[in-house]
Amino acid sequence: PRTPVNVTVTGAAGQIGYALLFRIASGHLLGPDTPVRLRLLEITPALSAAEGTAMELDDCAFPLLSGIDISDDPNVAFDGANVALLVGARPRTKGMERGDLLEANGGIFKPQGKAINDHAADDVKVLVVGNPANTNALIARAAAPDVPAERFTAMTRLDHNRALSQLSKKTGVPVSEIRRLTIWGNHSATQYPDIFHAEVAGKNAAEAVADEQWLANEFIPTVAKRGAAIIEARGASSAASAANAAIDHVHTWVNGTPDGDWTSMAVPSDGSYGVPEGLISSFPVTTAGGEYRIVQGLDVNEFSRTRIDASVTELTEEREAVRALGLI
Ligand code: NAI
């Protein structure tokens, strides 16, 4: 039997954690041949809830689940981590300024980054889900100088999947026949879902849609504001779809993108497409052999340029703010 892969999940007792852990344990994260050991990190008051979830995981008798450890100490939870899913974060509460939010999250992601630096496995792959995801990933990465920077990523796969679904609805083409969609920038309302390079059933998506009014006034805002719409409808933020996207993100990173397609991941910029180096920004990426590459050479039109720049400006401001707070 293969050695289990250590998967650390933070915020394990939260709502995304509840939707995520069972799918990791049943083999959807890494595939049906890879046993996993779950390492759950929670804050002390939520340890008991995490233990309850662990009892349920036991009760599923998942053949691939080789064990579960629970801790409130990042140094323990990240010990030997091959995959780290950073889900737990400090939500914005009423009256909280952006600076307060960034500072509160710095208090979480800086020590977690350091614990990853000091204790994770050499091949660790990190996905930050907890918001503000891109900047939290930046903070964690800065605290982990011994880990290659490119291992720190943030999640825009939910936005990507939302965009796929909206485009499928508009064109009547199933999502399985849509390729090369891109989310650019920040996982926030400024994100830019780009269909100019996408294909629906083999045709260019922008040409197939041929409706710039829909693109600018419906598609982009629907995707960008979907999180708020879910909260409004469900009375709670997206959880199962976020967990599903986290599974997709890591599965694609490990197992590769199909030929002729790509996905969206927020990754440290190498300066591609004018995004300042080091910012963790969403790009079109291909993956193979457990590594990703930013797709090069795409022609960025004026419509796209303005929107990418606006989201990247927001990321730059967030970076300045955490720098001023001494978090990076
Ligand atoms: P939740 O509030 O239900 O759960 C968060 C959990 O994190 C709680 O159990 C809390 O005790 C735990 N936690 C807090 N600080 C921690 C720490 N220092 N170490 C370990 N655990 C800690 O929230 P939910 O719904 O599970 O969402 C989690 C995060 O994911 C939020 O920040 C949310 O905004 C974000 N999110 C991101 C999405 C994306 O597309 N990138 C999509 C949906 C949500």
Side-chain angles (χ1 to χ4, degrees), residues 211-224:
D211 186 351
E212 194 165 312
Q213 148 76 18
W214 173 81
L215 186 61
N217 301 329
E218 280 192 53
F219 174 73
I220 296 171
T222 299
V223 173

Side-chain angles (χ1 to χ4, degrees), residues 11 13-16 41-43 87-89 108 112 129-131 155 187 242:
Q15 51 153 6
I16 294 177
L41 180 67
E42 257 298 349
I43 53 172
V87 178
I108 295 173
Q112 289 184 1
V129 174
N131 281 320
M155 191 166 91
H187 169 69

Side-chain angles (χ1 to χ4, degrees), residues 71-96:
S71 180
D72 57 3
D73 179 352
N75 296 313
V76 174
F78 288 112
D79 190 30
N82 306 106
V83 176
L85 303 176
L86 276 48
V87 178
R90 177 72 160 73
R92 189 191 288 255
T93 40
K94 239 195 172 117
M96 204 177 192

Side-chain angles (χ1 to χ4, degrees), residues 98 186 188-190 309-319:
R98 185 172 72 171
N186 200 1
S188 76
T190 67
D309 288 351
S311 196
V312 168
T313 297
E314 183 184 51
L315 283 172
T316 305
E317 288 166 3
E318 287 184 15
R319 179 163 72 177

Side-chain angles (χ1 to χ4, degrees), residues 11-14 40-53 70-72:
L40 311 185
L41 180 67
E42 257 298 349
I43 53 172
T44 317
L47 282 177
S48 164
E51 275 157 19
T53 305
I70 305 171
S71 180
D72 57 3

Side-chain angles (χ1 to χ4, degrees), residues 185-259:
N186 200 1
H187 169 69
S188 76
T190 67
Q191 67 174 268
Y192 171 52
D194 177 0
I195 68 165
F196 285 101
H197 304 283
E199 284 176 4
V200 291
K203 292 199 209 83
N204 177 274
E207 287 165 19
V209 167
D211 186 351
E212 194 165 312
Q213 148 76 18
W214 173 81
L215 186 61
N217 301 329
E218 280 192 53
F219 174 73
I220 296 171
T222 299
V223 173
K225 294 177 190 163
R226 187 72 164 179
I230 302 272
I231 295 176
E232 179 70 25
R234 203 173 87 87
S237 61
S238 20
S241 55
N244 178 68
I247 297 269
D248 283 352
H249 177 112
V250 174
H251 190 275
T252 302
W253 190 353
V254 171
N255 293 294
T257 39
D259 274 348

Side-chain angles (χ1 to χ4, degrees), residues 36-282:
V36 290
R37 185 172 187 92
L38 282 170
R39 321 287 310 267
L40 311 185
L41 180 67
E42 257 298 349
I43 53 172
T44 317
L47 282 177
S48 164
E51 275 157 19
T53 305
M55 288 162 70
E56 286 200 72
L57 284 160
D58 278 344
D59 295 348
C60 295
F62 288 119
L64 289 173
L65 182 58
S66 75
I68 310 170
D69 312 293
I70 305 171
S71 180
D72 57 3
D73 179 352
N75 296 313
V76 174
F78 288 112
D79 190 30
N82 306 106
V83 176
L85 303 176
L86 276 48
V87 178
R90 177 72 160 73
R92 189 191 288 255
T93 40
K94 239 195 172 117
M96 204 177 192
E97 299 290 335
R98 185 172 72 171
D100 302 334
L101 180 75
L102 294 172
E103 192 157 25
N105 279 296
I108 295 173
F109 287 86
K110 198 172 173 178
Q112 289 184 1
K114 175 146 186 14
I116 288 168
N117 189 68
D118 296 349
H119 301 287
D122 288 343
D123 68 348
V124 68
K125 288 180 163 61
V126 182
L127 167 61
V128 176
V129 174
N131 281 320
N134 303 52
T135 296
N136 287 341
L138 191 74
I139 294 169
R141 193 201 70 196
D146 303 329
V147 178
E150 69 271 12
R151 306 286 187 75
F152 284 85
T153 67
M155 191 166 91
T156 50
R157 186 61 173 266
L158 179 54
D159 310 297
H160 183 95
N161 288 344
R162 286 166 170 167
L164 277 176
S165 174
Q166 293 301 320
L167 187 57
S168 167
K169 280 208 169 86
K170 171 75 176 171
T171 57
V173 170
V175 289
S176 58
E177 289 178 47
I178 302 181
R179 307 196 301 179
R180 302 190 180 193
L181 234 154
T182 306
I183 303 295
W184 298 92
N186 200 1
H187 169 69
S188 76
T190 67
Q191 67 174 268
Y192 171 52
D194 177 0
I195 68 165
F196 285 101
H197 304 283
E199 284 176 4
V200 291
K203 292 199 209 83
N204 177 274
E207 287 165 19
V209 167
D211 186 351
E212 194 165 312
Q213 148 76 18
W214 173 81
L215 186 61
N217 301 329
E218 280 192 53
F219 174 73
I220 296 171
T222 299
V223 173
K225 294 177 190 163
R226 187 72 164 179
I230 302 272
I231 295 176
E232 179 70 25
R234 203 173 87 87
S237 61
S238 20
S241 55
N244 178 68
I247 297 269
D248 283 352
H249 177 112
V250 174
H251 190 275
T252 302
W253 190 353
V254 171
N255 293 294
T257 39
D259 274 348
D261 200 1
W262 65 60
T263 189
S264 304
M265 287 168 68
V267 303
S269 175
D270 58 0
S272 294
Y273 300 101
V275 180
E277 205 174 327
L279 279 184
I280 298 193
S281 187
S282 190

